[in-house]
Tab-separated table of all heavy atoms in Angstrom:
chain	number	residue	atom	x	y	z
A	8	ARG	N	-16.913	15.692	63.446
A	8	ARG	CA	-15.673	14.994	63.060
A	8	ARG	C	-14.528	15.312	64.029
A	8	ARG	O	-13.625	14.493	64.206
A	8	ARG	CB	-15.292	15.370	61.634
A	8	ARG	CG	-16.255	14.783	60.593
A	8	ARG	CD	-15.907	15.177	59.174
A	8	ARG	NE	-16.787	14.491	58.235
A	8	ARG	CZ	-16.572	13.284	57.736
A	8	ARG	NH1	-15.497	12.601	58.095
A	8	ARG	NH2	-17.435	12.751	56.888
A	9	LEU	N	-14.574	16.481	64.622
A	9	LEU	CA	-13.545	16.852	65.595
A	9	LEU	C	-13.808	16.272	66.974
A	9	LEU	O	-12.925	16.275	67.844
A	9	LEU	CB	-13.461	18.383	65.705
A	9	LEU	CG	-12.883	19.136	64.494
A	9	LEU	CD1	-13.182	20.628	64.613
A	9	LEU	CD2	-11.390	18.895	64.371
A	10	GLY	N	-15.028	15.784	67.175
A	10	GLY	CA	-15.373	15.219	68.484
A	10	GLY	C	-15.592	16.272	69.544
A	10	GLY	O	-15.377	15.996	70.732
A	11	THR	N	-16.026	17.454	69.133
A	11	THR	CA	-16.291	18.520	70.095
A	11	THR	C	-17.781	18.775	70.169
A	11	THR	O	-18.560	18.241	69.395
A	11	THR	CB	-15.534	19.811	69.696
A	11	THR	OG1	-15.573	20.732	70.789
A	11	THR	CG2	-16.120	20.439	68.461
A	12	ARG	N	-18.187	19.603	71.091
A	12	ARG	CA	-19.605	19.835	71.361
A	12	ARG	C	-20.329	20.365	70.130
A	12	ARG	O	-19.853	21.286	69.461
A	12	ARG	CB	-19.748	20.821	72.512
A	12	ARG	CG	-21.169	21.013	73.021
A	12	ARG	CD	-21.182	21.801	74.306
A	12	ARG	NE	-20.525	23.095	74.150
A	12	ARG	CZ	-20.254	23.894	75.169
A	12	ARG	NH1	-20.510	23.503	76.403
A	12	ARG	NH2	-19.665	25.061	74.950
A	13	LEU	N	-21.494	19.789	69.834
A	13	LEU	CA	-22.265	20.153	68.660
A	13	LEU	C	-23.134	21.360	68.969
A	13	LEU	O	-24.243	21.241	69.503
A	13	LEU	CB	-23.151	18.982	68.196
A	13	LEU	CG	-22.415	17.709	67.746
A	13	LEU	CD1	-23.410	16.620	67.393
A	13	LEU	CD2	-21.518	18.009	66.562
A	14	THR	N	-22.624	22.535	68.633
A	14	THR	CA	-23.371	23.769	68.872
A	14	THR	C	-23.822	24.435	67.588
A	14	THR	O	-24.709	25.279	67.607
A	14	THR	CB	-22.517	24.758	69.666
A	14	THR	OG1	-21.373	25.123	68.870
A	14	THR	CG2	-22.041	24.151	70.981
A	15	GLY	N	-23.178	24.103	66.471
A	15	GLY	CA	-23.466	24.789	65.224
A	15	GLY	C	-22.861	26.179	65.161
A	15	GLY	O	-23.085	26.919	64.202
A	16	THR	N	-22.081	26.529	66.168
A	16	THR	CA	-21.409	27.838	66.215
A	16	THR	C	-19.910	27.641	66.329
A	16	THR	O	-19.449	26.854	67.164
A	16	THR	CB	-21.905	28.671	67.409
A	16	THR	OG1	-23.313	28.902	67.288
A	16	THR	CG2	-21.183	30.005	67.481
A	17	PHE	N	-19.166	28.337	65.503
A	17	PHE	CA	-17.704	28.254	65.541
A	17	PHE	C	-17.225	29.076	66.732
A	17	PHE	O	-16.839	30.240	66.609
A	17	PHE	CB	-17.121	28.809	64.237
A	17	PHE	CG	-15.734	28.330	63.915
A	17	PHE	CD1	-15.371	27.979	62.623
A	17	PHE	CD2	-14.749	28.237	64.897
A	17	PHE	CE1	-14.097	27.555	62.319
A	17	PHE	CE2	-13.465	27.814	64.619
A	17	PHE	CZ	-13.139	27.467	63.305
A	18	ASP	N	-17.249	28.467	67.907
A	18	ASP	CA	-16.938	29.145	69.150
A	18	ASP	C	-15.486	28.894	69.554
A	18	ASP	O	-14.708	28.278	68.813
A	18	ASP	CB	-17.889	28.696	70.254
A	18	ASP	CG	-18.007	27.174	70.336
A	18	ASP	OD1	-17.086	26.472	69.833
A	18	ASP	OD2	-19.001	26.685	70.897
A	19	ASN	N	-15.126	29.353	70.755
A	19	ASN	CA	-13.750	29.185	71.222
A	19	ASN	C	-13.350	27.726	71.362
A	19	ASN	O	-12.217	27.342	71.031
A	19	ASN	CB	-13.568	29.891	72.583
A	19	ASN	CG	-13.292	31.374	72.440
A	19	ASN	OD1	-12.294	31.775	71.851
A	19	ASN	ND2	-14.195	32.191	72.952
A	20	ARG	N	-14.275	26.892	71.827
A	20	ARG	CA	-13.979	25.472	71.962
A	20	ARG	C	-13.670	24.846	70.606
A	20	ARG	O	-12.722	24.076	70.453
A	20	ARG	CB	-15.161	24.749	72.623
A	20	ARG	CG	-14.895	23.269	72.946
A	20	ARG	CD	-16.197	22.591	73.347
A	20	ARG	NE	-16.770	23.207	74.533
A	20	ARG	CZ	-16.589	22.737	75.772
A	20	ARG	NH1	-15.833	21.667	75.965
A	20	ARG	NH2	-17.165	23.324	76.794
A	21	THR	N	-14.478	25.190	69.616
A	21	THR	CA	-14.246	24.673	68.253
A	21	THR	C	-12.951	25.196	67.683
A	21	THR	O	-12.200	24.463	67.017
A	21	THR	CB	-15.434	25.062	67.346
A	21	THR	OG1	-16.654	24.613	67.935
A	21	THR	CG2	-15.278	24.447	65.957
A	22	TRP	N	-12.669	26.477	67.904
A	22	TRP	CA	-11.422	27.082	67.407
A	22	TRP	C	-10.210	26.347	67.963
A	22	TRP	O	-9.271	26.018	67.228
A	22	TRP	CB	-11.414	28.560	67.813
A	22	TRP	CG	-10.257	29.357	67.284
A	22	TRP	CD1	-9.980	29.668	65.988
A	22	TRP	CD2	-9.227	29.968	68.050
A	22	TRP	NE1	-8.836	30.435	65.908
A	22	TRP	CE2	-8.353	30.637	67.158
A	22	TRP	CE3	-8.947	30.024	69.428
A	22	TRP	CZ2	-7.239	31.340	67.590
A	22	TRP	CZ3	-7.832	30.739	69.848
A	22	TRP	CH2	-6.978	31.390	68.939
A	23	ARG	N	-10.241	26.027	69.254
A	23	ARG	CA	-9.120	25.296	69.864
A	23	ARG	C	-9.035	23.876	69.312
A	23	ARG	O	-7.934	23.350	69.073
A	23	ARG	CB	-9.275	25.271	71.378
A	23	ARG	CG	-9.066	26.634	72.041
A	23	ARG	CD	-8.941	26.503	73.545
A	23	ARG	NE	-10.183	26.010	74.148
A	23	ARG	CZ	-11.151	26.795	74.606
A	23	ARG	NH1	-11.028	28.121	74.515
A	23	ARG	NH2	-12.227	26.273	75.155
A	24	SER	N	-10.189	23.233	69.067
A	24	SER	CA	-10.200	21.881	68.502
A	24	SER	C	-9.627	21.859	67.087
A	24	SER	O	-8.887	20.935	66.720
A	24	SER	CB	-11.628	21.326	68.504
A	24	SER	OG	-12.125	21.171	69.815
A	25	VAL	N	-9.981	22.855	66.305
A	25	VAL	CA	-9.447	22.953	64.944
A	25	VAL	C	-7.921	23.081	64.971
A	25	VAL	O	-7.212	22.398	64.223
A	25	VAL	CB	-10.079	24.135	64.180
A	25	VAL	CG1	-9.339	24.401	62.870
A	25	VAL	CG2	-11.555	23.866	63.894
A	26	LYS	N	-7.401	23.923	65.847
A	26	LYS	CA	-5.948	24.091	65.919
A	26	LYS	C	-5.257	22.807	66.378
A	26	LYS	O	-4.186	22.468	65.854
A	26	LYS	CB	-5.614	25.256	66.850
A	26	LYS	CG	-6.003	26.624	66.313
A	26	LYS	CD	-5.319	27.730	67.081
A	26	LYS	CE	-5.756	27.745	68.526
A	26	LYS	NZ	-5.042	28.778	69.300
A	27	ARG	N	-5.855	22.119	67.333
A	27	ARG	CA	-5.256	20.840	67.770
A	27	ARG	C	-5.214	19.843	66.615
A	27	ARG	O	-4.209	19.142	66.425
A	27	ARG	CB	-6.057	20.262	68.942
A	27	ARG	CG	-5.760	20.899	70.283
A	27	ARG	CD	-6.281	20.049	71.410
A	27	ARG	NE	-7.731	19.902	71.367
A	27	ARG	CZ	-8.587	20.721	71.983
A	27	ARG	NH1	-8.129	21.756	72.661
A	27	ARG	NH2	-9.877	20.506	71.897
A	28	TYR	N	-6.312	19.771	65.865
A	28	TYR	CA	-6.348	18.852	64.720
A	28	TYR	C	-5.288	19.248	63.699
A	28	TYR	O	-4.576	18.374	63.154
A	28	TYR	CB	-7.728	18.865	64.073
A	28	TYR	CG	-7.870	17.888	62.952
A	28	TYR	CD1	-8.281	16.582	63.182
A	28	TYR	CD2	-7.561	18.260	61.633
A	28	TYR	CE1	-8.383	15.654	62.146
A	28	TYR	CE2	-7.666	17.345	60.594
A	28	TYR	CZ	-8.082	16.057	60.850
A	28	TYR	OH	-8.169	15.146	59.811
A	29	GLN	N	-5.148	20.503	63.415
A	29	GLN	CA	-4.177	20.963	62.431
A	29	GLN	C	-2.753	20.637	62.859
A	29	GLN	O	-1.932	20.205	62.044
A	29	GLN	CB	-4.349	22.469	62.198
A	29	GLN	CG	-5.641	22.809	61.454
A	29	GLN	CD	-5.946	24.304	61.443
A	29	GLN	OE1	-5.528	25.042	62.316
A	29	GLN	NE2	-6.690	24.737	60.433
A	30	ARG	N	-2.443	20.830	64.124
A	30	ARG	CA	-1.092	20.499	64.611
A	30	ARG	C	-0.820	18.997	64.499
A	30	ARG	O	0.310	18.587	64.210
A	30	ARG	CB	-0.938	20.931	66.068
A	30	ARG	CG	-0.903	22.428	66.276
A	30	ARG	CD	-0.508	22.765	67.709
A	30	ARG	NE	-0.630	24.188	67.984
A	30	ARG	CZ	-1.667	24.745	68.580
A	30	ARG	NH1	-2.671	23.959	69.006
A	30	ARG	NH2	-1.722	26.034	68.797
A	31	ALA	N	-1.837	18.198	64.722
A	31	ALA	CA	-1.654	16.748	64.708
A	31	ALA	C	-1.566	16.156	63.305
A	31	ALA	O	-1.130	15.012	63.154
A	31	ALA	CB	-2.810	16.071	65.451
A	32	HIS	N	-1.918	16.928	62.290
A	32	HIS	CA	-1.977	16.387	60.933
A	32	HIS	C	-1.151	17.179	59.921
A	32	HIS	O	-1.443	17.156	58.720
A	32	HIS	CB	-3.432	16.300	60.455
A	32	HIS	CG	-4.236	15.291	61.223
A	32	HIS	ND1	-4.304	13.961	60.888
A	32	HIS	CD2	-4.993	15.425	62.347
A	32	HIS	CE1	-5.068	13.309	61.745
A	32	HIS	NE2	-5.507	14.176	62.640
A	33	ASP	N	-0.100	17.851	60.393
A	33	ASP	CA	0.792	18.591	59.477
A	33	ASP	C	0.036	19.571	58.599
A	33	ASP	O	0.301	19.707	57.402
A	33	ASP	CB	1.582	17.612	58.602
A	33	ASP	CG	2.918	17.237	59.239
A	33	ASP	OD1	3.125	17.577	60.415
A	33	ASP	OD2	3.745	16.609	58.564
A	34	LEU	N	-0.900	20.295	59.188
A	34	LEU	CA	-1.659	21.306	58.480
A	34	LEU	C	-1.239	22.698	58.949
A	34	LEU	O	-0.810	22.854	60.098
A	34	LEU	CB	-3.160	21.128	58.740
A	34	LEU	CG	-3.797	19.886	58.110
A	34	LEU	CD1	-5.108	19.562	58.809
A	34	LEU	CD2	-4.021	20.103	56.621
A	35	PRO	N	-1.363	23.708	58.110
A	35	PRO	CA	-1.109	25.081	58.599
A	35	PRO	C	-2.065	25.378	59.744
A	35	PRO	O	-3.278	25.204	59.609
A	35	PRO	CB	-1.396	25.947	57.368
A	35	PRO	CG	-1.244	25.025	56.188
A	35	PRO	CD	-1.705	23.681	56.666
A	36	VAL	N	-1.533	25.832	60.864
A	36	VAL	CA	-2.370	26.094	62.032
A	36	VAL	C	-3.006	27.475	61.859
A	36	VAL	O	-2.513	28.490	62.378
A	36	VAL	CB	-1.541	25.997	63.336
A	36	VAL	CG1	-2.451	26.222	64.546
A	36	VAL	CG2	-0.876	24.644	63.430
């Protein structure tokens, strides 16, 4: 759903993607 690499591991790339999504949608970062 985030459009990031499908690794099945919550890695640094996923962590950065989650924060970007949160900033873009008025969510607690």
Side-chain angles (χ1 to χ4, degrees):
R8 291 179 175 274
L9 290 166
T11 192
R12 188 169 57 189
L13 297 177
T14 63
T16 299
F17 202 139
D18 49 21
N19 277 299
R20 186 191 299 265
T21 305
W22 185 66
R23 290 192 296 268
S24 295
V25 169
K26 291 196 297 177
R27 281 196 297 269
Y28 183 88
Q29 289 170 334
R30 290 190 188 98
H32 293 273
D33 268 11
L34 291 161
V36 182

